[in-house]
Amino acid sequence: MKIGRLNHVGVATPDVEAAAKGYADLYGATDATPAKAFPKLGVKVIFVSVPNMQIELIEPLGEDSPIHKFLEKNPKGGQHHMCFEVPDIIEARDAMRARGATVLGTGEPYIGAHGVPVIFVHPKDTGGVLVELMQEPGGGH
Ligand SMILES: CC[C@H](C(=O)O)C(=O)SCCNC(=O)CCNC(=O)[C@H](O)C(C)(C)COP(=O)(O)OP(=O)(O)OC[C@H]1O[C@@H](n2cnc3c(N)ncnc32)[C@H](O)[C@@H]1OP(=O)(O)O
Ligand SMILES: [Co+2]
């Protein structure tokens, strides 16, 4: 398994709308999706498109959100994860495990905000950076 293109950088924020306005006002990054809630994933998301990838603004939905504690530690928000595309998410999951990394949750890929299966690799195995792997559109079995 070889890692693919950087699809997005996840940025945690207490307010995705305010954060998206900040990217528009400060950097002219006005190409943004409407905010969308993913209750099962515990986040509200806005994707801000820039020339070669996206910024994924994520706001916690409730205290069970996987980013709730992150925002308690970083109340203004901050860089949260990087997401790379892989050709086949199952092959990637198995490769992570075979290479000694911890795949979060049950290890079963689940549908993320882009509508394709994703996994997350624990930051303790990746030099302190939370990495998400997502099946590249049109990839997989
Ligand atoms: C999937 C939808 C969407 C998409 O792109 O499709 C998204 O990306 S949504 C993104 C939000 N969802 C997730 O992040 C799911 C996976 N994440 C998790 O399961 C948790 O965030 C986890 C386990 C990485 C951390 O959970 P939590 O903060 O509640 O646990 P701890 O406080 O015990 O943290 C353990 C340890 O990890 C360090 N940590 C936490 N978050 C990060 C981070 N974003 N980057 C780097 N390190 C992180 C934390 O400081 C602890 O370190 P320690 O040295 O043990 O204190
Ligand atoms: Co993501």
Side-chain angles (χ1 to χ4, degrees), residues 8 56 81 132:
H8 64 265
E56 180 186 62
H81 65 278
E132 176 184 2

Side-chain angles (χ1 to χ4, degrees), residues 30-116:
T30 54
D31 182 2
T33 62
K36 184 173 179 185
F38 294 88
K40 285 191 185 146
L41 302 173
V43 290
K44 182 161 75 165
V45 177
I46 286 180
F47 281 104
V48 176
S49 291
V50 293
N52 59 344
M53 60 123 196
Q54 290 180 306
I55 296 162
E56 180 186 62
L57 299 172
I58 49 179
E59 178 183 329
L61 287 177
E63 295 198 358
D64 292 339
S65 170
I67 65 170
H68 175 74
K69 270 176 87 173
F70 182 92
L71 273 173
E72 277 187 332
K73 293 177 191 170
N74 310 277
K76 290 196 173 72
Q79 288 184 74
H80 183 262
H81 65 278
M82 295 193 290
C83 181
F84 296 94
E85 293 177 4
V86 292
D88 183 314
I89 196 72
I90 298 297
E91 182 196 6
R93 188 271 315 274
D94 294 345
M96 291 302 100
R97 285 177 165 165
R99 297 171 187 173
T102 304
V103 178
L104 286 164
T106 63
E108 280 313 301
Y110 55 93
I111 301 302
H114 272 316
V116 294

